[in-house]
Amino acid sequence: MYSFFKKSSILIIIGIPLWFWVSCAAVKHPPGGPKDNLAPELLFSNPISGATYFSSSEIELTFNEFIDEKSITSAIHIYPQLSMNPKFIYKGKKIKIQLPDSLAKNQTYILSINRNLKDEHGITLAKNIQLAFSTGAFIDQSKISGRVFDDGDISVHLWRINDENEEPFYRRLPDYITDASDEGSYQFQYLSPGNYQAMAVLRSTAGLLLVPDRMAYGFSWESQIHLDSATVKSKIDMIVDKQENPIRLLRSEWNDLSWGKAIFNQDITDWGHMLSLTIMNADTIVPILTSSLHAKDSSEIIIIPKRELKVDQTYVLNIPSVMRGNDILVDSSKVRFSTPTYSDTSFLEWVNANSTMALVPDPDSILSVIIPFSRPISFNSDSLELELHLSDSIPVELDMLIENEMQLSITPLVNWEQEKNYKLQLNTNGIIPISGQPMADSLLSLQIKTSSYQSKGRLIASVKTGSIQQIKSVLMSMEKPQFTLTKSVNSNALFEYVKVPEGRYRLMFFSDMNQNNKIDAGRAEPFQTGEWFTFYPDTIKIRANWDLELKTIYLESTP
């Protein structure tokens, strides 16, 4: 009994200091309490922002809560960039930054804390923080600010241009970096007099050397941003050109000897008519009769050769590149494909037959209905019968047009009535497939249900442009971001939008100097600034059957 108590006492005495040592080894917030959803805040720094004659080798930051240690190195930077990276010592709510011995004399340094910084719960900093200290007698006070108009997470690079004869600034790492806010606003503070250039990039590429062909970026319309002492340069606005990869041929599929498909990595609608396709078998070129966009998939092109390909053979489909200036729109490609060992014997299909189609009629134009088929076809006009009825019984006169080898369109001679039911009926005997069997059913139909007319309005305004040239206006829907309308400002400084669908819009103006009808974000090689642009400050509300006339809009006199 005595010996057991004695051994237990020893274990308890030894266990207490061991537990105490383990619990003190890690810096962590006490458990319990409500969940923290607030962004971390910087309480104070040593030295304070604005300190002069700085000669210490250490900076200390104190936050209101525990910081995620892993986020520190990607979040805290000193600009202009130092020859050696600083070292960080993590102390929970405190971070000590040990500096190298290479600080320049009479230099203003900026300690930047970007939005990569997180607290222990993963909540990021609400906005970029900039602190300044100087090794000399004063702090530089010039500023550059603006807004990047983009929906993504954006950072801004800034270079000081020391010599016009030096290599292009974008081929070296930026001197300063800051993150834009969620609304796109950014600011560089504590800058010394001189010439600068800014560039917006996606935050995922912040701090990297620019690779023009692989990165999204944009420049301001200023060829250089000049700062004197205590200069404030605002409205250095930018957009980011998210350059898509060139269109590229992925593969070619042939389920029949009479026709096949070329399949691309993205929509080919705008450039399909510019393609020069070639089919080769060994050294023999197979001439192509026609090629057209697939009725169901805009990334595919239907190819019909002048003669059937051979059974169970390997061919090569070749596409040369399509260029627009220095831009590659469609990359040159070669793909191999094999023909089937037998011909396709499946039935031809009307893709959306025996279904119901919703149609929003336009009071100002008669909309067409597209009839797509599963494979290329031809028509026998003597036996082709196509009928359109209103409410199942009232015949409606129509026009029929063969759009391409895989689809036709029908258009009523009198506009669609609102909130009515129509029935389109097709006798399939007059439709002949290029291969395989005809349609299994001799009679197919499509129900068409119309809604009320789309409500539309009108917008008109005049502008005062000063010296800005080639002004275009862009009306952008806030409900349907893909819907935009572009109009030129005429010689009388007027622009007008008619028959605009009802809704809320943003209005932008830009200087279309290269006359390509879209705003350009600039180019690195050869260097070209972005085009000037500005946004009308208020939301435009278009109401049905109303004319909205804005007061004269004054644009800045010089871009």
Side-chain angles (χ1 to χ4, degrees):
M1 189 72 181
Y2 174 79
S3 60
F4 174 79
F5 174 79
K6 188 174 181 180
K7 291 179 182 177
S8 299
S9 301
I10 293 171
L11 288 173
I12 293 172
I13 293 169
I14 293 173
I16 290 175
L18 178 63
W19 170 86
F20 180 78
W21 179 81
V22 170
S23 65
C24 294
V27 178
K28 58 191 297 185
H29 194 281
K35 184 178 180 180
D36 177 18
N37 292 317
L38 300 177
E41 297 178 5
L42 179 67
L43 297 181
F44 46 85
S45 65
N46 183 20
I48 61 172
S49 183
T52 55
Y53 296 110
F54 179 80
S55 59
S56 176
S57 61
E58 187 173 275
I59 299 172
E60 184 174 89
L61 306 175
T62 302
F63 293 85
N64 67 329
E65 57 182 319
F66 286 74
I67 298 300
D68 177 8
E69 184 177 5
K70 295 179 181 178
S71 70
I72 293 173
T73 55
S74 65
I76 301 177
H77 302 276
I78 295 177
Y79 304 113
Q81 298 198 48
L82 304 175
S83 58
M84 297 177 61
N85 292 328
K87 295 181 179 180
F88 301 99
I89 300 175
Y90 174 68
K91 295 289 184 179
K93 295 182 180 181
K94 294 185 177 182
I95 300 172
K96 289 186 177 182
I97 307 169
Q98 293 184 340
L99 305 174
D101 297 329
S102 57
L103 297 184
K105 294 181 180 180
N106 300 315
Q107 173 69 53
T108 296
Y109 286 95
I110 301 170
L111 191 151
S112 176
I113 310 172
N114 67 35
R115 300 179 70 189
N116 288 329
L117 192 74
K118 302 176 184 178
D119 63 19
E120 62 177 348
H121 302 291
I123 308 299
T124 59
L125 201 66
K127 62 180 181 179
N128 198 86
I129 297 173
Q130 293 183 358
L131 310 175
F133 62 93
S134 175
T135 55
F138 62 90
I139 298 287
D140 292 317
Q141 294 295 331
S142 292
K143 299 179 182 179
I144 294 174
S145 64
R147 184 175 175 186
V148 182
F149 291 86
D150 192 275
D151 294 332
D153 294 332
I154 296 296
S155 295
V156 180
H157 289 180
L158 185 70
W159 289 266
R160 182 182 171 94
I161 311 301
N162 298 312
D163 184 355
E164 292 185 359
N165 296 321
E166 68 178 351
E167 69 171 354
F169 62 89
Y170 52 81
R171 292 184 183 174
R172 57 182 172 90
L173 292 173
D175 298 309
Y176 304 88
I177 303 171
T178 192
D179 289 341
S181 69
D182 291 339
E183 295 74 33
S185 299
Y186 74 92
Q187 180 175 249
F188 291 99
Q189 305 179 77
Y190 314 116
L191 299 174
S192 60
N195 294 319
Y196 294 82
Q197 184 55 268
M199 180 182 75
V201 297
L202 301 183
R203 194 172 299 166
S204 59
T205 60
L208 302 178
L209 283 172
L210 177 64
V211 182
D213 295 336
R214 298 184 180 181
M215 291 170 60
Y217 65 95
F219 295 108
S220 77
W221 55 82
E222 300 266 9
S223 57
Q224 280 191 1
I225 306 166
H226 180 73
L227 299 179
D228 293 319
S229 179
T231 301
V232 176
K233 281 278 190 176
S234 59
K235 295 186 178 180
I236 306 299
D237 297 339
M238 292 171 276
I239 61 171
V240 172
D241 185 5
K242 295 183 174 68
Q243 299 178 358
E244 296 183 352
N245 294 325
I247 297 172
R248 187 175 66 258
L249 178 64
L250 298 179
R251 64 186 185 277
S252 185
E253 295 179 356
W254 292 70
N255 296 321
D256 190 85
L257 303 176
S258 301
W259 68 282
K261 296 187 295 184
I263 302 170
F264 295 83
N265 63 329
Q266 56 186 285
D267 193 330
I268 194 70
T269 303
D270 293 335
W271 316 112
H273 65 284
M274 299 175 65
L275 297 180
S276 178
L277 307 176
T278 304
I279 298 175
M280 296 191 67
N281 175 236
D283 295 328
T284 304
I285 296 178
V286 180
I288 293 176
L289 176 65
T290 183
S291 62
S292 57
L293 194 69
H294 196 291
K296 293 174 60 179
D297 192 335
S298 59
S299 67
E300 297 183 1
I301 285 180
I302 302 301
I303 304 170
I304 302 176
K306 286 188 176 181
R307 61 174 184 267
E308 282 193 354
L309 302 187
K310 296 178 180 179
V311 173
D312 197 19
Q313 293 286 311
T314 298
Y315 289 81
V316 174
L317 176 63
N318 177 56
I319 298 179
S321 60
V322 176
M323 305 289 293
R324 183 178 61 189
N326 294 321
D327 296 329
I328 300 176
L329 302 177
V330 181
D331 208 353
S332 60
S333 307
K334 286 185 178 180
V335 296
R336 294 178 179 273
F337 66 89
S338 297
T339 54
T341 56
Y342 53 87
S343 295
D344 186 3
T345 58
S346 62
F347 288 101
L348 176 68
E349 294 179 358
W350 173 6
V351 175
N352 56 355
N354 301 322
S355 62
T356 300
M357 174 185 177
L359 187 145
V360 181
D362 188 330
D364 302 306
S365 62
I366 303 177
L367 302 179
S368 298
V369 172
I370 301 298
I371 301 177
F373 296 94
S374 60
R375 68 166 64 93
I377 54 174
S378 60
F379 297 94
N380 184 343
S381 57
D382 294 334
S383 55
L384 179 63
E385 296 180 10
L386 189 61
E387 297 179 353
L388 180 65
H389 290 87
L390 172 62
S391 303
D392 285 334
S393 58
I394 304 173
V396 178
E397 291 188 83
L398 55 81
D399 277 338
M400 184 187 73
L401 175 66
I402 300 173
E403 293 284 338
N404 56 46
E405 293 74 17
M406 293 190 67
Q407 62 184 35
L408 57 83
S409 66
I410 64 103
T411 309
L413 299 185
V414 178
N415 204 353
W416 305 94
E417 294 186 25
Q418 301 181 76
E419 300 179 343
K420 295 291 185 179
N421 292 317
Y422 289 81
K423 183 177 182 180
L424 179 63
Q425 191 164 277
L426 173 66
N427 185 323
T428 65
N429 292 330
I431 299 175
I432 306 167
I434 192 174
S435 62
Q437 300 188 58
M439 292 187 175
D441 298 318
S442 60
L443 196 64
L444 294 173
S445 64
L446 173 68
Q447 303 293 329
I448 303 171
K449 185 176 180 61
T450 63
S451 64
S452 57
Y453 286 141
Q454 188 176 39
S455 301
K456 296 183 178 182
R458 177 171 173 260
L459 171 66
I460 186 171
S462 63
V463 298
K464 291 287 187 181
T465 63
S467 61
I468 305 173
Q469 300 177 356
Q470 306 293 346
I471 296 295
K472 296 279 179 70
S473 63
V474 183
L475 194 63
M476 299 177 286
S477 172
M478 298 176 69
E479 288 98 358
K480 301 177 180 179
Q482 301 302 320
F483 181 78
T484 61
L485 299 170
T486 302
K487 292 284 185 180
S488 296
V489 175
N490 65 25
S491 57
N492 296 318
L494 295 172
F495 66 93
E496 179 183 23
Y497 291 93
V498 297
K499 300 176 182 178
V500 181
E502 189 175 34
R504 297 183 304 121
Y505 293 83
R506 297 185 71 190
L507 181 61
M508 181 184 75
F509 300 92
F510 72 98
S511 177
D512 190 15
M513 296 306 295
N514 60 4
Q515 291 293 289
N516 65 352
N517 216 40
K518 71 182 186 73
I519 183 170
D520 291 307
R523 178 188 296 275
E525 295 177 348
F527 178 72
Q528 180 180 319
T529 63
E531 291 180 326
W532 174 91
F533 70 93
T534 190
F535 279 87
Y536 185 70
D538 300 324
T539 298
I540 304 293
K541 296 180 180 179
I542 300 295
R543 298 174 60 187
N545 305 316
W546 278 70
D547 290 348
L548 175 62
E549 185 169 356
L550 303 177
K551 294 181 179 179
T552 300
I553 301 170
Y554 291 86
L555 304 179
E556 296 181 12
S557 59
T558 55

